Amino acid sequence: MATNGKAKQCSNNLTEDKEYNNTSKVAEDVTTKVLIPPDGGWGWVITFSSFMIGMIVDGIAFTFGFFFLEFQEYFGANKSVTSSINSVLAGSYFTIGPVVGALTNVFGCRKVAMVGAVITAVSFFLCTFSPNVETMIILYGLCGGTGFGMMYLPAIVMVGYYFDKRRALATGIAVCGSGIGSFVFAPLSESLLRQYSWKGAMWILSGLSLNGIVFAALFRPLEYESSTDMDAACDEEITIDQKVTTTGHNLALQRVKDDPSSLNRSRSVEGCNHVGKESEIARLGHSVERKDFYSGSIKNIPEYKEAGNEQRFVRKILNKDKTEEEFSKNGWTHFLRDTFDTSLMKSPTFVMYVASCFLCTIGFFVPFIYIPDIAMEHGMTSSQSAWIISSIGIINTVARIVVGWVSDKPWADSILINTAALILTGVITIFVPYYKIYPLYILYAVLFGFGIAVFVSLRSIIIVELLGIDKLTNSFGLLILCQGLSTFIGSPIAGALFDLTGNYMASFYLAGSVICISGLICLPLRRLSRWEKARNERKKERANMADVEKPLVNGN
C-alpha cells in the first residue's frame, strides 16, 4: 500500500508545475530512453583510464626538450626550425579540439580515442625514418598532435558521462594525469635517450602510446534506461522534489548545461531523488559544471547571483534551451556555429582576455623546450635537467587542486589571482638565463609550475564571471583555438632569437615579457566587463523604447 502511494506521488509530481509546460514537453521526447550517470562503479575505471591517457599525452608533449638537441644535431637544422617540431604537435593538439568534439558526437568517445592512439603510435614510429626536418614536422608534429587531440578530449568527456554529483572529483583526478605525466616522462625520456638514442626512444614512446588503445577500450558506453525502469526506481524508495527536480526539468537543464561533446549523448536524470535544498543546489551546480569543463561553484556564477535562488536560476537557464529534435536535425551545424561564434569578437572584454591568453601561450612552452639545453650549458647533468621538468609537472598537479579549492571560496578574486600569477611567472622567466645553479632552477620550476596551473585552472571561471555561463561554450572554443595558433609561433620565435644572438637571453626575455604583459592586460578586465554590460543594457532599453513608440506612431 505504501509502495503504491509513493508510485502515485511520483506520477503526480511528474505532471506538476504548469509554468514549465514547454520545457516538460521537450523532455517528454527523451524520457523514453535516457542515460543515467552511475556516479561510481565502472566510472572509476573510466577515471583511471582518462588519467593514464592524460599522463601519456602530456608526458610526451611536455618533455620534448630532451629530444630537442638530438633532433637538431641529426637533421642539421637551426633551433627555430627544430623547435617547430614540437610547436606543430602542441598547436595541432589544441586546434583539433573542436573537430574531435564533433567526431565524438558521431562515433563515440571509445572509437575516436582508439583511432587517435593508433595515429599517434604510427606517427612516432614512422618519424624515425624521416629524411629531413620537414618530414619530421609533418609526421611527429602534425600527425602526432592530431592523434593526441583525438585521445585526450574523449578521455575527459567520458568522465562526464559517468559522473554527476562526484564529477568535480572525478574530473580533477583525471586531469592530474597531465602533471604526473611530466613528472614521470622527464626522467624516463632522459634515460631512454641515454641508452637507446632518439630513434630507439621514439619507438618505445610509440609503443607506450599504443597503450591508449587499451585504456580507450575501457570507455564502455552507458546503456540507455527506459522510462519503465525509472518508474520502477520511483516505486522502490522515493518521491520527486516538487520544486525543481522533476524529470522534465532536470533533463532540459542538463541538456542546456552539458558539455557540447556530450550534448546529444549524455542525460543526467535524478528525478527520483528526494533531497534537501543544499543538495538541490549542489546537483544543479554539477549540472552547470558539465559545460566545457567549468570548475567553479554554481554560487559564483553571475546568473545565479542575479536570480537569487536556484529555482529562478533554473527558470532562466531553461529559457535558453533548444529542443532535442532541433539539435538532432542540425547537430553539426549547431556545433560549428557554437564553437566558432565570431560575434564574440565584437565583445571588448572577450577580445582583451583572448589577447591575454594568446600572449601567455606564446611563452608557455619555451621553458619546457629550452631549459634542458640552458641548464646543461650551465654545467648541470641531463639527469638534473630532467628533475627540473619533473618539478614543474608535480607542482602543476598539486597547484591545480589548491587553486580549485581556493577559487570556490566567496572571498577569492579569480581575476586578481590569475593576474598576480601571470606577472610573477613572467618576471621569473625573464631571469632564467641568470640562474646559474641547480637549486635556483628547482625554485623556478616550482613557481613556474604553480603559475601555469593558475592560468589553466581559472580560464573557464574567468570567462563565466566576465561573460556569463551561457557564453562559455562559444567563448571557450574560440579561446582554445587562439591559444593553439599562438602555440605554433612561440617556441620557433624563441629559437630564432637564439640563432640570431647565440644565447638564450633574448629568448627568455621574450617569453617572460609576453607572459608578464598577459597578466597586466587582465587588470582592467572586470571594469571593462561592467562597462560593456552597462552599454548592452542601454542598447536594450533604447530598443525596447523604440518598440513601444513604434505602434503609437503608427496609430496616429
Side-chain angles (χ1 to χ4, degrees):
M1 194 78 172
T3 302
N4 291 336
K6 286 179 182 176
K8 192 175 194 178
Q9 185 178 1
C10 188
S11 176
N12 289 338
N13 284 335
L14 284 171
T15 58
E16 283 185 355
D17 203 345
K18 302 297 183 184
E19 187 177 352
Y20 290 100
N21 241 1
N22 294 334
T23 304
S24 297
K25 192 183 226 180
V26 171
E28 284 171 8
D29 297 332
V30 293
T31 52
T32 53
K33 286 189 176 182
V34 293
L35 294 177
I36 303 179
D39 265 320
W42 191 259
W44 295 118
V45 177
I46 300 293
T47 302
F48 172 75
S49 300
S50 299
F51 175 93
M52 294 303 296
I53 285 178
M55 190 174 85
I56 292 171
V57 169
D58 285 340
I60 295 174
F62 288 139
T63 54
F64 173 81
F66 298 100
F67 292 87
F68 177 73
L69 290 179
E70 298 286 337
F71 289 160
Q72 185 181 9
E73 181 180 350
Y74 183 83
F75 293 111
N78 58 33
K79 292 187 183 295
S80 177
V81 173
T82 306
S83 64
S84 296
I85 298 172
N86 192 67
S87 293
V88 172
L89 179 137
S92 302
Y93 175 17
F94 274 114
T95 55
I96 198 67
V99 177
V100 174
L103 289 174
T104 58
N105 276 341
V106 177
F107 301 106
C109 291
R110 176 190 277 174
K111 292 179 181 177
V112 172
M114 291 178 76
V115 170
V118 172
I119 291 174
T120 300
V122 172
S123 300
F124 285 176
F125 179 78
L126 292 179
C127 76
T128 59
F129 302 100
S130 300
N132 50 55
V133 70
E134 288 79 13
T135 306
M136 188 73 178
I137 290 173
I138 293 173
L139 291 176
Y140 179 92
L142 183 61
C143 297
T146 299
F148 274 172
M150 293 176 70
M151 291 169 66
Y152 187 72
L153 180 64
I156 299 302
V157 168
M158 200 66 197
V159 175
Y161 288 1
Y162 272 80
F163 289 91
D164 192 6
K165 293 176 189 156
R166 297 177 181 173
R167 183 176 182 270
L169 172 64
T171 304
I173 294 172
V175 298
C176 281
S178 173
I180 299 297
S182 300
F183 178 73
V184 171
F185 273 79
L188 175 63
S189 298
E190 186 271 334
S191 177
L192 291 176
L193 279 169
R194 189 172 63 250
Q195 295 183 52
Y196 303 108
S197 79
W198 77 266
K199 289 189 176 183
M202 197 59 64
W203 291 342
I204 293 173
L205 292 181
S206 173
L208 289 174
S209 299
L210 279 176
N211 283 283
I213 298 175
V214 178
F215 295 123
L218 298 174
F219 291 165
R220 186 173 66 197
L222 283 173
E223 293 183 2
Y224 283 90
E225 294 191 24
S226 67
S227 57
T228 55
D229 295 332
M230 293 175 62
D231 292 339
C234 285
D235 286 340
E236 286 176 11
E237 292 274 342
I238 21 181
T239 59
I240 293 182
D241 189 290
Q242 298 180 22
K243 289 183 181 178
V244 183
T245 58
T246 65
T247 302
H249 302 165
N250 226 16
L251 278 169
L253 176 61
Q254 190 68 33
R255 182 169 58 257
V256 177
K257 290 301 151 198
D258 247 340
D259 184 90
S261 305
S262 56
L263 191 57
N264 62 347
R265 287 180 182 276
S266 178
R267 294 291 178 268
S268 172
V269 180
E270 301 177 80
C272 296
N273 284 333
H274 183 66
V275 290
K277 189 168 186 176
E278 287 302 313
S279 296
E280 289 175 22
I281 297 174
R283 181 169 64 251
L284 181 60
H286 285 296
S287 296
V288 173
E289 285 166 17
R290 297 187 65 165
K291 185 171 184 177
D292 266 325
F293 315 116
Y294 174 66
S295 54
S297 168
I298 182 178
K299 295 183 181 180
N300 295 331
I301 295 175
E303 289 90 341
Y304 183 89
K305 293 178 179 177
E306 291 173 9
N309 59 53
E310 68 272 23
Q311 288 90 353
R312 290 175 186 167
F313 176 66
V314 172
R315 196 171 292 121
K316 184 173 183 179
I317 293 299
L318 291 179
N319 288 336
K320 296 169 184 172
D321 191 27
K322 302 292 182 184
T323 66
E324 185 76 13
E325 181 182 357
E326 183 181 350
F327 185 87
S328 63
K329 285 181 180 177
N330 306 289
W332 284 83
T333 306
H334 277 256
F335 183 89
L336 294 174
R337 186 183 65 193
D338 287 348
T339 304
F340 302 104
D341 184 4
T342 54
S343 65
L344 278 166
M345 301 308 290
K346 298 177 183 177
S347 166
T349 306
F350 179 69
V351 170
M352 182 169 285
Y353 187 58
V354 166
S356 171
C357 294
F358 183 89
L359 290 174
C360 180
T361 311
I362 287 177
F364 187 94
F365 284 95
V366 171
F368 286 103
I369 294 178
Y370 297 115
I371 274 185
D373 188 21
I374 195 172
M376 285 189 282
E377 279 187 4
H378 291 156
M380 287 165 232
T381 64
S382 59
S383 178
Q384 286 178 318
S385 64
W387 279 108
I388 295 171
I389 301 299
S390 290
S391 299
I392 295 176
I394 197 64
I395 294 300
N396 182 31
T397 301
V398 175
R400 287 193 186 198
I401 298 171
V402 173
V403 171
W405 178 78
V406 170
S407 63
D408 275 344
K409 300 301 177 184
W411 47 262
D413 187 331
S414 297
I415 295 177
L416 185 60
I417 293 172
N418 178 72
T419 300
L422 289 178
I423 292 174
L424 174 63
T425 303
V427 170
I428 61 175
T429 300
I430 289 173
F431 292 100
V432 164
Y434 299 98
Y435 304 150
K436 306 289 185 181
I437 57 176
Y438 181 61
L440 281 179
Y441 273 99
I442 292 294
L443 178 61
Y444 169 76
V446 170
L447 295 176
F448 182 79
F450 186 84
I452 61 175
V454 171
F455 168 69
V456 171
S457 301
L458 294 183
R459 286 175 304 178
S460 62
I461 295 174
I462 290 174
I463 287 175
V464 169
E465 182 177 344
L466 295 175
L467 303 176
I469 190 73
D470 58 304
K471 299 286 188 182
L472 181 57
T473 299
N474 311 38
S475 55
F476 203 81
L478 277 175
L479 181 67
I480 294 299
L481 179 63
C482 291
Q483 282 189 249
L485 296 176
S486 65
T487 302
F488 282 109
I489 64 174
S491 299
I493 292 175
L497 289 174
F498 180 95
D499 295 330
L500 289 173
T501 62
N503 59 62
Y504 281 111
M505 288 188 175
S507 302
F508 280 92
Y509 290 165
L510 172 69
S513 297
V514 293
I515 294 174
C516 191
I517 292 170
S518 73
L520 293 172
I521 287 176
C522 292
L523 284 173
L525 270 179
R526 185 173 281 108
R527 179 174 294 183
L528 180 61
S529 177
R530 284 197 296 264
W531 171 84
E532 183 179 350
K533 288 175 182 176
R535 183 193 66 175
N536 292 339
E537 285 298 321
R538 288 194 297 271
K539 285 183 178 179
K540 286 181 182 178
E541 288 175 6
R542 285 196 293 268
N544 291 337
M545 288 293 293
D547 290 340
V548 171
E549 292 172 358
K550 193 171 183 180
L552 293 176
V553 173
N554 292 338
N556 291 336

